[in-house]
Amino acid sequence: MYDRLEAHFELEQGQVLALLRRSEALSYTMRRTRRSGCLIRKRRAGRKSRVAWEPSDELKLVQRKIRDQIETRFRPHKIAHAYVESRSIITGAQMHVGKTFLLHLDIRNFFGAIKEHVVFQHLKRMFGEFDNSDIEALTKLCCHRGCLSFGAPISPILSNLICSQFDTQIYALANLYHCDVTRYADDICFSTTAAEFPTELAEAAADGSSSSISVGERLRAIFETYGFEINIEKLKIQPRTSLQKVTGIVVNKRLNVPRKFYDGVRCALHRWEMFGIDAAIPRHLSHLDGKRFSRSLGTCIGHIGKVLGKASKRYRVLLSRYRKLLRRDRS
């Protein structure tokens, strides 16, 4: 029934139909995610863990094959820095270093806002050689409960594909008001070197609270056109006189890591040196054992190296202490 589709994506004969007939309970597993390696505990009222719907191993394999085919036909817009080879939170943050103002906008329920019918339209344009029944099957294999799902390997590339026109319009609007703009998945940041932030994009009241920020009509209209809702709780304008961060990286004068993050790594290393690895584990990471925590700590130090540069003295000191402790515990 789906012979051409299966041949093109190198799937087994009858595999597409078998997956489509399988119940969601067998195709997806729900899991709650938390930032297990974050040394600094975020304190946000009402904060909930994220729900991920993870496809079965067989469906993951199929989605990866679809993803690989899309990657050969599509290059994300230059403002997109998530899920793109040679781009990252580092390259995105670099665009906003030394600016007078930053505007942060966040898309609420990003993957959930990308609906199945929109996925169908974009896959139809990309794989025009297939008929509608094949594209419908392809769409069903990529979506869960009528939208993209957080946790599926196909969702990142499809989100960039579907946001390509959104990115184009956001970029054009930023250029119109002499701003730089980047998008990292659901996190969008505008920045300017002007003495005042363009009120056509957003305007803050005197108290500076997110509830008092008014988003410009043209900018809001772009979000609404693509079915995206701005998360008011995360909406903010940051002047140069405040701590300016983009995707967790400080950008006031140069790329830097937040002081709390750096001090958290130093504190963990000190406690490890003095009292052992188990004593170094923060209370909110008590679900980790020593081995997993040491790996997470190494990842944090690696992140500092990427942000500050591998030649940074601060990074090299942390890395030296970390390696010394690993050697000590192995002996």
Side-chain angles (χ1 to χ4, degrees):
M1 184 175 181
Y2 298 107
D3 294 347
R4 288 186 62 227
L5 203 63
E6 288 163 345
H8 182 82
F9 290 100
E10 300 180 348
L11 306 177
E12 296 177 9
Q13 188 174 6
Q15 189 174 16
V16 171
L17 186 59
L19 284 169
L20 292 177
R21 286 176 172 174
R22 191 170 299 169
S23 68
E24 288 188 347
L26 294 175
S27 296
Y28 285 86
T29 303
M30 188 191 79
R31 60 181 175 85
R32 294 192 177 273
T33 64
R34 52 185 170 183
R35 297 178 51 164
S36 60
C38 185
L39 292 175
I40 306 302
R41 187 174 189 176
K42 288 192 174 183
R43 300 186 182 277
R44 187 179 297 159
R47 184 176 179 85
K48 300 178 181 178
S49 59
R50 299 182 72 178
V51 173
W53 288 98
E54 189 171 315
S56 65
D57 290 343
E58 182 183 7
L59 184 53
K60 274 184 185 178
L61 181 62
V62 171
Q63 288 187 354
R64 286 174 181 142
K65 289 184 176 181
I66 299 171
R67 178 195 63 193
D68 293 345
Q69 288 287 326
I70 293 174
E71 286 177 344
T72 65
R73 303 183 183 209
F74 166 69
R75 178 68 176 173
H77 194 280
K78 65 180 181 180
I79 76 166
H81 289 263
Y83 322 125
V84 184
E85 187 178 358
S86 76
R87 303 182 203 172
S88 65
I89 60 172
I90 309 294
T91 59
Q94 283 172 335
M95 297 290 296
H96 304 288
V97 172
K99 300 301 180 67
T100 50
F101 290 95
L102 302 182
L103 168 66
H104 291 273
L105 303 105
D106 182 86
I107 299 172
R108 189 185 297 276
N109 187 24
F110 179 55
F111 288 128
I114 300 175
K115 304 303 182 183
E116 193 172 290
H117 71 276
V118 179
V119 175
F120 174 87
Q121 292 167 4
H122 283 77
L123 290 177
K124 179 64 177 174
R125 282 196 289 268
M126 174 161 285
F127 298 105
E129 65 270 32
F130 294 101
D131 58 29
N132 282 352
S133 63
D134 285 335
I135 299 300
E136 286 175 5
L138 205 59
T139 303
K140 293 290 184 184
L141 293 174
C142 295
C143 295
H144 175 62
R145 296 186 175 181
C147 60
L148 295 184
S149 67
F150 173 62
I154 191 66
S155 294
I157 185 69
L158 280 179
S159 69
N160 277 339
L161 172 65
I162 289 160
C163 283
S164 58
Q165 288 301 313
F166 172 83
D167 292 341
T168 299
Q169 293 191 32
I170 289 288
Y171 178 68
L173 188 62
N175 278 346
L176 184 63
Y177 297 108
H178 310 289
C179 291
D180 287 312
V181 62
T182 58
R183 181 180 63 81
Y184 193 88
D186 59 354
D187 189 354
I188 298 158
C189 184
F190 289 81
S191 65
T192 181
T193 55
E196 300 289 340
F197 192 81
T199 56
E200 295 86 353
L201 294 178
E203 188 173 9
D207 63 4
S209 65
S210 61
S211 60
S212 302
I213 295 175
S214 174
V215 177
E217 289 185 11
R218 292 183 65 179
L219 180 55
R220 186 179 293 278
I222 294 174
F223 278 78
E224 292 174 351
T225 297
Y226 293 92
F228 293 140
E229 180 186 355
I230 297 172
N231 188 345
I232 299 299
E233 296 172 359
K234 295 185 178 180
L235 182 63
K236 56 189 173 184
I237 295 177
Q238 295 176 325
R240 178 183 286 170
T241 52
S242 69
L243 181 66
Q244 296 177 320
K245 291 195 294 184
V246 177
T247 55
I249 298 173
V250 178
V251 295
N252 287 72
K253 294 181 180 179
R254 59 184 182 278
L255 294 185
N256 206 344
V257 291
R259 187 73 201 185
K260 283 186 177 180
F261 184 86
Y262 179 74
D263 288 346
V265 172
R266 289 183 62 202
C267 179
L269 287 172
H270 175 73
R271 291 182 65 84
W272 187 359
E273 288 166 341
M274 299 298 295
F275 309 111
I277 186 66
D278 291 337
I281 302 174
R283 186 176 300 174
H284 69 282
L285 297 181
S286 59
H287 59 283
L288 298 180
D289 59 22
K291 187 174 182 180
R292 289 175 62 199
F293 176 71
S294 68
R295 285 199 301 265
S296 294
L297 186 57
T299 300
C300 291
I301 294 171
H303 173 69
I304 292 172
K306 290 177 182 177
V307 174
L308 302 184
K310 297 299 174 67
S312 163
K313 182 179 179 181
R314 287 196 292 162
Y315 163 70
R316 287 187 285 110
V317 168
L318 294 177
L319 183 63
S320 176
R321 292 172 65 186
Y322 175 71
R323 287 175 172 172
K324 184 178 179 181
L325 287 166
L326 288 177
R327 289 194 298 268
R328 185 191 74 180
D329 285 6
R330 286 173 187 155
S331 61

